[in-house]
Amino acid sequence: MVLVISNGLVQKASAAGECGRTPIGSAAASLSPCLGAAKDARAKVPPACCTRVNALIGTSPRCFCAVLLSPLAKQAGIMPATAISIPKRCNLKNGPAGKKCG
């Protein structure tokens, strides 16, 4: 019985979420150059932010949305409506539109 329960916990812990096997905290940390632009719609988006957003959206647009809507983002003062505009502000063609992130 203990073996069955512990096996179930291991499977849950290794299950892929919106960011695959990358923890959402790590995905959020990779977007740290975007912090200013995610808080202020008038702030210039740094090139490093555009590069990282493009890479994340290219591999997992759902992960990008999950990061923006996470409690971690809220704690950092990120405004989801402002942050979702970053792909457009970076002139990225493959970014999710606002309503696609929930």
Side-chain angles (χ1 to χ4, degrees):
M1 178 87 157
V2 172
L3 182 60
V4 171
I5 292 172
S6 65
N7 189 24
L9 291 174
V10 169
Q11 286 178 348
K12 266 189 183 177
S14 65
E18 289 90 353
C19 296
R21 294 191 181 275
T22 303
I24 197 161
S26 296
S30 76
L31 297 176
S32 62
C34 303
L35 194 54
K39 292 180 177 183
D40 181 0
R42 292 173 288 172
K44 183 175 180 184
V45 182
C49 171
C50 293
T51 300
R52 291 184 184 183
V53 167
N54 191 39
L56 185 58
I57 290 173
T59 57
S60 179
R62 289 178 57 200
C63 181
F64 179 69
C65 292
V67 168
L68 298 185
L69 300 173
S70 71
L72 184 61
K74 186 175 182 176
Q75 288 174 350
I78 290 173
M79 307 293 290
T82 301
I84 194 64
S85 72
I86 290 174
K88 183 176 182 178
R89 291 161 53 200
C90 289
N91 295 316
L92 302 177
K93 306 242 186 278
N94 60 345
K99 290 186 179 181
K100 288 186 183 176
C101 272

